[in-house]
Amino acid sequence: MIATSAMLAQPDTALTVREAEILDFIAHGLTSKQIARQLNISPYTVNTHRDNLRRKLGVHNGAQLAYCQATRYSSGPQGSSASG
């Protein structure tokens, strides 16, 4: 199951500021080691955040995390696609 916009808005799946930041780095293709260097934290801490993100978003790998990040910003308000 991949997280939907509605799921991302639920309190139990709300991301922390740091999780959102790490999710953005993941979506840009950075490794845990690269993210750790950027944020001046341990790669193990990054991996903990990755684990929490996978659990909260109901995904199993980094590619699915990146997809969730992409879909977070590609949909309009209330998760509906903007159409014109």
Side-chain angles (χ1 to χ4, degrees), residues 17-36:
V17 171
R18 182 63 96 185
E19 288 169 343
E21 187 175 23
I22 288 175
L23 184 57
D24 191 48
F25 281 121
I26 292 168
H28 283 91
L30 274 70
T31 65
S32 291
K33 197 173 191 178
Q34 291 169 325
I35 295 168

Side-chain angles (χ1 to χ4, degrees), residues 40-61:
N40 199 29
I41 60 176
S42 165
Y44 297 105
T45 302
V46 174
N47 287 334
T48 298
H49 286 301
R50 280 180 176 265
D51 291 342
N52 291 339
L53 285 163
R54 282 193 293 270
R55 180 183 48 80
K56 286 182 177 184
L57 299 176
V59 300
H60 302 287
N61 59 47

Side-chain angles (χ1 to χ4, degrees), residues 1 3-16 19 56-57:
M1 175 172 86
T4 63
S5 296
M7 289 174 69
L8 294 174
Q10 294 176 0
D12 60 332
T13 59
L15 302 182
T16 65
E19 288 169 343
K56 286 182 177 184
L57 299 176

